[in-house]
Every structure is written in C-alpha cells, then in structure tokens.
Amino acid sequence: MPNVTVLDHPLLRHKLTLLRDKTTPTAMFRQVAREISLLMAYEVTRDLPLETITIETPLEDMQADHLTGKKLCIVSILRAGNGILEGMLDLVPSARVGHIGLYRDHATLQPVEYYLKLPTDIADRLVILVDPMLATGNSAIAATARLKNAGVKAIKFVCLLAAPEGIAAFTAAHPDVPVFTGAIDRELDDNGYIRPGLGDAGDRFYGTR
Ligand code: URA
C-alpha cells in the first residue's frame, strides 16, 4: 500500500501486545502507549531535513548537524489522541500542539467539529496528526481536511492500530498524507470496533468503563 507504513520495531510490536491484552490495567496501558508513541515519533521524524552549522565544542570548532525546515506541530484528535501526544512530546518537547474535537452525529453518522485550537502559524509547520484508532477513518479524514483548510501543506497521520476499511477510506480521501500505524488488523465490526483490536482506546486510557 503506497503511503502506508506499518512500524515493525520489535519493542513496538511487544508493547502493542500489552495494549491489546484486556488484563492490562489503566495505568500500565497509559504508560505503554506513551512509550509506543515515543517510538512512533522517532520513526515518523526519520526524514526531517538537516543542515550543517558551525559550533564550538570545548576543544575546537566543528561542522555539526542541526534540524532545519518546517517546525513541528502535533495535533491530537480528542479525546484518545491525547494518549499519544504525551509520548511524542517526550521526544520532541518543543513541538507546538493543536487539538481537534469531533463527535459523530447520530443521524448522519458524519463527524461534527465541537472544538478546534491550533497554533496561529500552523500553515508553516509539519503537522503530525494523531488518533490511536483508524477505524472507519471518518474522524481522521475530517481532521485532515480541517488542517488543509487552515493552510497546512505537510501532514503525517499516526495511529496505533488501523482497520483495512479505515486505511482504504483515508488513503482515498487524502492520498498525499502518509499513514504510520503499529498494525493493520483484520476488520472493522458492525459496531465500528477494530478486530481483534484493543477495545475502546479512550476508555482504556482514562478508565471510563
Ligand atoms: N475507536 C476505538 O477506540 N476502538 C476501536 O476499535 C475503534 C474505534
């Protein structure tokens, strides 16, 4: 699948298993998701451009690597995206952060925006959009459209798990946006859950069920 990367680091795969296990308690789920998110941030920023600058070490001048290009902004799709945000910020603490809140309208089943807060200079930034579960893809598709509408030119979408249906819908709607996921599971069930999945990510992060 062009533009879809399944991250295959053994640590990440092992930690995903911990998240999937229903006996993993809330505190551990949160901690492990944070660790996975840091690993995902590492992979997703692998192609950031570098320039060479001159610095002085305590011993001599040297030509050294320095990040250049667009600054980062991590945008979380509420509420479960916040569980990914923390681990990403552990690795890139200077990144700006945006939030998009979407709920599903019961009549139309379409996502409706109820909250939006983005940095004013977001159009000039590389945006890493995060939501743990790419299920139907509707929220991620709407959030990406909203970011493009705000002038963002460079977006990467990161999730823990994806359903084949969500991948198909998202890549059809936004073929220019690369997707990074920990796994592509078997299917989406009739209730919109990814199978085998990990259950409701928000509930597992926050212990609300
Ligand atoms: N959202 C979740 O939290 N879990 C799923 O399986 C699908 C969507």
Side-chain angles (χ1 to χ4, degrees):
M1 258 170 298
N3 244 4
V4 178
T5 304
V6 179
L7 299 170
D8 60 358
H9 193 291
L11 279 176
L12 198 144
R13 309 222 63 74
H14 175 81
K15 288 172 192 289
L16 257 187
T17 302
L18 296 175
L19 291 191
R20 291 178 184 280
D21 188 335
K22 70 174 185 184
T23 66
T24 299
T26 302
M28 185 175 168
F29 186 94
R30 227 180 264 152
Q31 176 58 32
V32 171
R34 188 169 181 151
E35 292 163 6
I36 291 179
S37 308
L38 186 147
L39 293 170
M40 293 186 115
Y42 180 77
E43 293 291 347
V44 111
T45 52
R46 192 172 268 290
D47 62 351
L48 291 185
L50 291 170
E51 62 181 347
T52 304
I53 60 167
T54 307
I55 59 161
E56 283 178 52
T57 77
L59 302 176
E60 60 181 291
D61 287 354
M62 78 167 282
Q63 300 292 302
D65 292 332
H66 185 257
L67 283 173
T68 184
K70 289 177 189 283
K71 300 240 183 320
L72 291 181
C73 177
I74 304 169
V75 175
S76 161
I77 301 179
L78 299 175
R79 70 181 160 150
N82 282 3
I84 309 289
L85 190 56
E86 297 304 326
M88 295 223 158
L89 287 173
D90 287 342
L91 193 68
V92 277
S94 60
R96 296 294 187 264
V97 174
H99 293 91
I100 299 183
L102 300 163
Y103 72 87
R104 190 157 71 146
D105 184 278
H106 286 303
T108 64
L109 300 183
Q110 288 309 305
V112 179
E113 185 181 301
Y114 68 86
Y115 185 80
L116 182 75
K117 192 74 182 174
L118 303 172
T120 50
D121 62 352
I122 193 156
D124 303 323
R125 291 180 177 267
L126 163 62
V127 172
I128 301 176
L129 177 64
V130 298
D131 193 357
M133 310 298 272
L134 184 64
T136 60
N138 289 343
S139 301
I141 290 169
T144 303
R146 189 67 187 80
L147 292 171
K148 288 182 175 176
N149 199 255
V152 181
K153 300 281 181 304
I155 306 172
K156 297 182 181 197
F157 177 73
V158 177
C159 58
L160 296 176
L161 295 184
E165 295 85 344
I167 295 271
F170 186 84
T171 54
H174 298 292
D176 55 320
V177 176
V179 176
F180 295 80
T181 182
I184 301 175
D185 276 10
R186 189 181 65 243
E187 63 185 354
L188 197 62
D189 73 14
D190 292 342
N191 297 315
Y193 281 97
I194 297 174
R195 298 289 186 124
L198 53 74
D200 186 294
D203 285 338
R204 303 241 11 230
F205 272 124
Y206 303 116
T208 39
R209 190 180 287 171

